[in-house]
Amino acid sequence: MSELYVEAISGKRGETMNLTIGEIAKASGGELVLSGEGKSDTSVMSFVVDSRKVTEGAVFIATPGERVDGHCFAASAFAQGAVLAVVSKTPGQLAQETGESAPDWGSYVLVEDTLQALKQIGEYYRGKLDVKVVGITGSAGKTSTKEFIAGVLAEKYSVLKTEGNFNNEIGVPLTLLRIQSSHQVAVVEMGISDFGEMHRLSKMAKPDICVMTNIGQSHLDNLKSRDGILKAKSEIFDFMAEDGEICLNGEDDKLAAISEIKGHRPHFFGFGGGPGQDAYATDVVSKGLWGSDAVIRMGEEAFEVHVPLPGIHMVLNAAAAACVAGVLGLTPEQIAAGIEKIMPVDGRNNLIRLQHYTLIDDCYNANPASMKAALDLLAMADTEKVAILGDMFGLGEENEPGLHQQVGTYAAEKGIDRILCVGERSVHMFQAACGHAEETGHIVHFPNLDALLTALRQERKEYVPDGCTVLIKASHAMEFEKILELLKQE
């Protein structure tokens, strides 16, 4: 199992979920095997996929892992207080596989596929909840938009949000299973890479409000074109509530062209009050790396806000949050207060001030649109500017050279002082940057991450001078967080 999902997924400590062991067995279609003291009407308190995170009353989902089998840790989960395990092997079958004696388990539900069972349980639990679900999708900006929307809605409601980027067919049900009776709104990030995935996510989440950030150029290897991306993302509407609401980015040409979905007129957010925009920002004044001031306009209302995160795209996120907040009845005062409290997320345009330089930690993921947005942000710095840029994945083999070239050209045209390109695909970025820069002495290509790390350890100031601002950005698989940790040590 990916390391992304080793964190505990649990509700508030001490709060029982409206879900019993018997219901879990029914929802998953599995066979319930009760221990000597087990009862089918026992309520559960949380769901975990990491036995080390088990607390009293938890349900342990035994998942197949890349290195280890979760079934091997079921006994430990019960010892720590789990009341149920969802498994696809019996203790006897596990003993045959491992050559050890059969483990001592408590009550368990035996299913064919534990990850499929997780989705079925999440869908069932969602159906029991009296809570508004805001589903967020798009090619880029989902996580930051989620933070804005959740932060603003928290001014009026008890809000649960997706933690980190738990946004796929594992993360979405785990998020749903964190919702408690005290929550009034759940803000759920929903990410995909192929057709059909969003349909399955929507079936679980059943969003009351659907938000789309943009239609960019990500996952082109499967979705082929922006029209394909729009089609795949639009599956979010498949299980939207009958009285659901839709909030779209009016600055995106594909989204702005939508006039109706399943009988619903979308709400639009954007800049300057384009056609049909319901919440939009005007009078934007950049404060450089420290945010922007703007006026948010919603119908007859207009109010000033300070957006504490830098970049024009963050102002757009604020407009998106205002759009959703308007649907859910927040006042201008509540919206402005929520926007001003937004904090950066690690790996997402997170500014880190250090003794020798300032880092822009945007190393979680990358596509052409988010690369350009990050370079726009770096260009605001009033210091020497260094961009450490790595490979972008999921663009499709035929698209990769051209899209990497676009980013290299853009970096050079933005006047970035030092451009360090890392990875096999980024050689195209490097070549394009050299072809469009007035001086190429500070444009360097490293074949892989290890080569860059070695260079930084040996001659850090040659590549990252004191007093500069450094952008660190690439697709997650490039492991650019290692660059971040190295530079933090200086």
Side-chain angles (χ1 to χ4, degrees), residues 420-433:
L420 312 182
C421 304
V422 185
E424 295 180 7
R425 295 164 176 81
S426 292
V427 69
H428 302 292
M429 194 186 298
F430 164 75
Q431 292 168 347

Side-chain angles (χ1 to χ4, degrees), residues 145-163:
T145 303
K146 172 204 69 182
E147 294 295 324
F148 271 84
I149 292 173
V152 169
L153 295 183
E155 293 295 309
K156 180 176 181 178
Y157 299 107
S158 172
V159 178
L160 178 133
K161 65 181 180 181
T162 298
E163 294 297 330

Side-chain angles (χ1 to χ4, degrees), residues 284-453:
V284 179
V285 178
S286 173
K287 300 297 182 180
L289 293 178
W290 314 115
S292 302
D293 292 335
V295 174
I296 299 291
R297 302 181 185 275
M298 302 171 63
E300 299 298 319
E301 300 281 359
F303 50 97
E304 296 180 354
V305 297
H306 174 68
V307 182
L309 303 186
I312 193 69
H313 56 299
M314 293 299 179
V315 179
L316 185 63
N317 291 342
C323 189
V324 174
V327 170
L328 289 177
L330 273 73
T331 66
E333 293 77 16
Q334 290 170 325
I335 295 170
I339 290 171
E340 293 180 6
K341 294 175 185 175
I342 299 300
M343 300 293 290
V345 178
D346 287 347
R348 315 269 185 167
N349 284 340
N350 183 22
L351 286 177
I352 304 172
R353 286 178 171 178
L354 299 174
Q355 179 181 356
H356 299 295
Y357 33 66
T358 296
L359 303 180
I360 303 175
D361 169 19
D362 201 356
C363 63
Y364 175 73
N365 219 340
N367 57 49
S370 65
M371 278 280 201
K372 292 175 183 178
L375 288 165
D376 288 340
L377 175 59
L378 177 62
M380 296 179 184
D382 56 4
T383 66
E384 187 170 358
K385 306 167 188 62
V386 179
I388 304 179
L389 308 175
D391 289 353
M392 299 178 288
F393 298 111
L395 301 178
E397 187 175 351
E398 68 279 10
N399 301 310
E400 283 178 351
L403 293 175
H404 282 82
Q405 288 167 3
Q406 285 182 22
V407 172
T409 298
Y410 196 79
E413 291 177 344
K414 295 297 291 186
I416 306 304
D417 299 295
R418 297 169 188 261
I419 305 172
L420 312 182
C421 304
V422 185
E424 295 180 7
R425 295 164 176 81
S426 292
V427 69
H428 302 292
M429 194 186 298
F430 164 75
Q431 292 168 347
C434 289
H436 288 82
E438 294 182 5
E439 297 181 10
T440 60
H442 292 306
I443 304 176
V444 186
H445 178 253
F446 296 90
N448 51 54
L449 177 60
D450 287 340
L452 171 67
L453 294 174

Side-chain angles (χ1 to χ4, degrees), residues 461-481:
K461 293 183 180 180
E462 173 68 22
Y463 301 103
V464 180
D466 285 352
C468 70
T469 301
V470 190
L471 168 66
I472 306 170
K473 188 163 183 66
S475 283
H476 187 62
M478 288 294 290
E479 299 184 322
F480 266 28
E481 62 272 12

